[in-house]
Amino acid sequence: MADLWGGRFTKDTDQMVYEFNASINFDKKLYKQDIQGSMAHVKMLAKQNILTESDKEVILKGLQSILEDVENGTLVIDMKYEDIHSFVEANLIDRVGEAGKRLHTGRSRNDQVALDMRLYTREQVERTDLLVKTLMNTILKTMEENVETYMPGFTHLQKAQPTTLAHHYGAYFEMFKRDRERLHDIYKRMNYCPLGAGALAGTTYPLDRNYTAKLLGFYGPTLNSMDSVSDRDYLIEFLAAMATIMMHLSRFSEEIIIWNSNEYQFVEIDDAYSTGSSIMPQKKNPDIAELVRGKTGRVYGALMSLLTTMKGIPLAYNKDMQEDKEMAFDAMENVQNCLILFNGMIETMKFREDKMAKSALGGFTNATDAADYLVNKGVPFRDAHGIIGRLVLYCIEKNCAIDDLSLDELKDISEVFEKDIYEAISLETCVEKRLTIGAPGMDAMREVIAINKEYLKSFPELSVK
Ligand code: ARG
C-alpha cells in the first residue's frame, strides 16, 4: 500500500480498512480524465506564477508519458495505490522527481475527483447521445419504407384499430427524441468546472479558475466551492435519463418479443441476433431483446442507489460519495451496449407484411370506422356504437369479419347500411382516412417523416468545445 497522508499517522492502516477504503479497483477507469485535469491544473499554476515554466514542462512530459504507457499497456494500474489520483501522482514523482511533488499545489482530491467524474460523465453523455441518434436513424428508415405496411394497433394488448408499421415505429422515434433532448439539457447544466474548489473552501493561491475551465472545454467555473465538491446532481440526472432510455428500449423489446412469437410471427429476428436452445432444435430465441429488457433493472438500480447514497450527506465532501462510481459505470456501459445491440437487431430484423396485414384485418379493428360510417349517415354516435356492437356479436357467432357479411345481413341490423360500407371499412380506407397530424394516414405520416428527417439533420451532436 502507498498512502498520501503519512505525516500525521503513527500506525499503518489496518489491511482490511485499507482495502475497504480503496477505490483504485474501479476508479482506474478515470486515468485519462485524471491526467487531463492535472495537465490543465499545471498549465494554470505556471500561468499564475505558482509554478515555474520548467517545472510545468517536466510535469507535463511526465504526465504525457504516464498516459501513453497506460494506454499501450506498459504501465499497469496496480492495486497497491488507494485510488487513481495517488497512482498518477506517485508514478509522476517516480518519473520526474521533485517537480512531481508540486503537482498537487492548490488542489485537493475532492475537487480532483469531482472534476474527473464530471469529465468522464460528460464524455459518456456525448456517446450515449450519438448512439440514440444512430438508433433514431434506423427507426426513421424503417418508417420511410413502411408507410403502407398495415398492422393492428393495440390497446390492452387487444386489437383496437388498424395502423401502419411507420406509425408504430414513429411512437418510438418520439420517445428517443425526448431522450436526446434530456441528454442535451443535462449537458448544459453539468458543463461547469469544479477544479479549484479545493477541499471545500477554495484555496489561498491565486488560481485562475476561468482558465482551467476553458482549457477543459467547460463553459466556466462552478460558483460555490462547497457545492462543487459535493454535487453529483449531474450524475443522478444522467442516470435518470439512462433509466428512461432503458424503459423505452425495454418496451420496444417487449413488443419485438411478442411480434417474434409463434402466435404473431410479425417479425423474424436475424440469425446473428438470436440464439438457439440446447435441447429444443426448433427454437430461435429473442435473447437480445430479452436481455435489453432485463438489463433495465440494473440501470434503475444505479439511479436509486445514488439517490439514496446522496440523501443524507452533509456538506461538503464525505467518503460516501465514492459510491457514485461502480454502479454508474456499470449503467453507462450497459446502456451503450444495449443501444448498439438493439440497433443492430432492428436493422437486420425482417417484417412479415402478410401476417401483419392479415392480423390487422381480424379482431374487428374496423368497428370504430363502421360506427363512424353510420354517424356520417346521420345516426347519433351512441346509437351507432350499439348497432356495431350487435353486429360484432353476430359476426362472432358466425365466426366472420364485418366485411364478410352480405348487405342483407347488414340491413337486418340497420337499414342505414348501403353498398358503400365495404369501401368505408376496408383496411386501406381505415388507415388512409386518419389524416390528422400524428395519425397513420399516409399523407399525415409522410409529413411527420419529413419533419423528423429535418429534425435529425439539424439537431446538433454533443461534443466538447
Ligand atoms: N476515491 C475518492 C472518491 O471517489 C476520492 C476523493 C477522496 N477524498 C478524500 N477526502 N478522501 O470520492
Side-chain angles (χ1 to χ4, degrees):
M1 53 173 110
D3 62 44
L4 297 170
W5 55 79
R8 189 203 180 285
F9 285 72
T10 51
K11 258 167 92 179
D12 276 349
T13 321
D14 173 89
Q15 183 58 26
M16 195 170 159
V17 169
Y18 184 83
E19 283 165 19
F20 188 68
N21 198 44
S23 53
I24 187 92
N25 195 23
F26 45 88
D27 66 18
K28 61 181 178 207
K29 260 193 193 314
L30 301 174
Y31 74 89
K32 201 176 79 196
Q33 290 72 20
D34 197 71
I35 292 173
Q36 199 186 349
S38 289
M39 285 176 156
H41 182 63
V42 161
K43 286 180 193 163
M44 180 275 295
L45 289 178
K47 184 180 90 66
Q48 299 300 95
N49 295 320
I50 303 166
L51 199 69
T52 63
E53 276 297 312
S54 70
D55 277 348
K56 175 187 93 174
E57 290 307 326
V58 169
I59 295 174
L60 285 180
K61 257 194 153 153
L63 288 170
Q64 183 62 32
S65 73
I66 295 173
L67 180 63
E68 283 164 14
D69 291 353
V70 170
E71 291 198 325
N72 66 29
T74 47
L75 177 60
V76 177
I77 303 177
D78 59 79
M79 300 301 130
K80 78 172 202 257
Y81 300 95
E82 181 196 342
D83 55 28
I84 191 63
H85 324 298
S86 22
F87 167 83
V88 173
E89 195 177 331
N91 270 278
L92 181 72
I93 295 168
D94 264 3
R95 288 179 182 212
V96 308
E98 277 304 298
K101 294 188 190 162
R102 299 185 197 278
L103 165 68
H104 209 52
T105 314
R107 188 176 70 171
S108 153
R109 274 189 299 163
N110 297 351
D111 60 343
Q112 190 177 356
V113 77
L115 171 69
D116 293 3
M117 201 54 192
R118 211 176 272 236
L119 286 171
Y120 187 87
T121 305
R122 187 175 69 178
E123 201 177 311
Q124 302 306 314
V125 172
E126 289 166 13
R127 280 173 197 239
T128 308
D129 181 61
L130 260 190
L131 292 172
V132 178
K133 181 181 178 181
T134 305
L135 179 60
M136 289 171 80
N137 263 315
T138 307
I139 293 173
L140 195 62
K141 190 162 166 282
T142 307
M143 288 170 71
E144 284 184 286
E145 291 164 359
N146 290 284
V147 171
E148 296 184 36
T149 307
Y150 300 110
M151 67 181 287
F154 298 84
T155 63
H156 315 273
L157 210 51
Q158 309 228 24
K159 287 183 201 176
Q161 290 172 346
T163 182
T164 65
L165 182 55
H167 189 231
H168 199 114
Y169 261 45
Y172 287 101
F173 189 93
E174 297 301 321
M175 294 180 220
F176 293 121
K177 200 193 263 180
R178 293 192 291 272
D179 285 329
R180 282 195 77 195
E181 283 169 15
R182 252 185 290 278
L183 294 173
H184 283 237
D185 256 16
I186 294 167
Y187 191 93
K188 264 184 249 150
R189 252 188 309 282
M190 75 175 288
N191 199 26
Y192 291 90
C193 186
L195 188 63
L200 77 159
T203 80
T204 52
Y205 297 97
L207 307 185
D208 183 348
R209 293 193 59 211
N210 281 299
Y211 184 68
T212 34
K214 202 165 152 239
L215 286 180
L216 293 164
F218 288 105
Y219 302 144
T222 50
L223 293 185
N224 180 288
S225 59
M226 281 194 148
D227 181 51
S228 307
V229 291
S230 61
D231 167 33
R232 297 294 181 275
D233 288 6
Y234 66 90
L235 192 53
I236 290 173
E237 287 190 48
F238 185 34
L239 285 165
M242 288 193 289
T244 310
I245 291 172
M246 287 307 292
M247 179 266 289
H248 293 152
L249 284 177
S250 184
R251 292 181 72 178
F252 208 163
S253 294
E254 169 68 5
E255 302 222 71
I256 289 170
I257 293 162
I258 293 172
W259 294 347
N260 183 65
S261 67
N262 291 338
E263 286 67 26
Y264 278 74
Q265 298 177 9
F266 284 8
V267 295
E268 199 178 320
I269 299 176
D270 195 80
D271 280 0
Y273 287 90
S274 12
T275 54
S277 154
S278 61
I279 173 169
M280 298 166 282
Q282 83 282 14
K283 283 273 195 169
K284 209 175 130 183
N285 298 325
D287 287 31
I288 296 305
E290 288 171 12
L291 267 176
V292 169
R293 188 179 58 183
K295 283 185 189 290
T296 305
R298 66 205 282 167
V299 180
Y300 290 4
L303 170 63
M304 284 319 297
S305 160
L306 187 55
L307 277 170
T308 312
T309 295
M310 293 302 294
K311 86 185 223 320
I313 301 186
L315 292 177
Y317 179 84
N318 293 257
K319 190 77 176 201
D320 323 35
M321 287 162 69
Q322 177 165 294
E323 284 295 305
D324 65 352
K325 295 183 188 60
E326 280 167 288
M327 291 182 77
F329 289 156
D330 178 85
M332 294 172 194
E333 191 179 325
N334 273 293
V335 169
Q336 288 171 38
N337 287 342
C338 286
L339 282 164
I340 293 168
L341 287 169
F342 189 89
N343 182 60
M345 177 180 69
I346 65 165
E347 239 182 347
T348 51
M349 192 169 76
K350 299 263 180 312
F351 292 95
R352 301 284 310 269
E353 292 171 20
D354 52 333
K355 303 261 185 202
M356 290 161 75
K358 190 161 170 243
S359 170
L361 280 170
F364 306 102
T365 55
N366 54 5
T368 315
D369 294 80
D372 289 344
Y373 169 88
L374 294 175
V375 169
N376 280 326
K377 303 249 172 197
V379 181
F381 182 78
R382 208 30 73 207
D383 293 342
H385 190 283
I387 293 168
I388 303 301
R390 289 202 296 284
L391 202 63
V392 167
L393 203 60
Y394 178 75
C395 290
I396 291 171
E397 276 160 17
K398 263 194 84 176
N399 191 22
C400 69
I402 301 175
D403 320 53
D404 298 331
L405 299 178
S406 69
L407 191 55
D408 284 345
E409 285 174 296
L410 288 167
K411 278 195 177 289
D412 276 351
I413 292 177
S414 167
E415 270 302 323
V416 183
F417 285 116
E418 298 295 344
K419 265 211 325 286
D420 57 352
I421 175 66
Y422 298 106
E423 162 71 20
I425 62 169
S426 76
L427 193 51
E428 292 76 14
T429 316
C430 287
V431 174
E432 247 159 56
K433 276 198 323 214
R434 295 186 146 72
L435 281 174
T436 47
I437 194 84
M442 278 98 220
D443 290 344
M445 201 65 238
R446 288 202 179 95
E447 199 180 326
V448 166
I449 288 175
I451 294 171
N452 283 339
K453 239 180 149 170
E454 189 42 47
Y455 173 88
L456 259 192
K457 226 190 288 156
S458 58
F459 196 70
E461 283 170 12
L462 286 173
S463 87
V464 192
K465 286 179 282 285

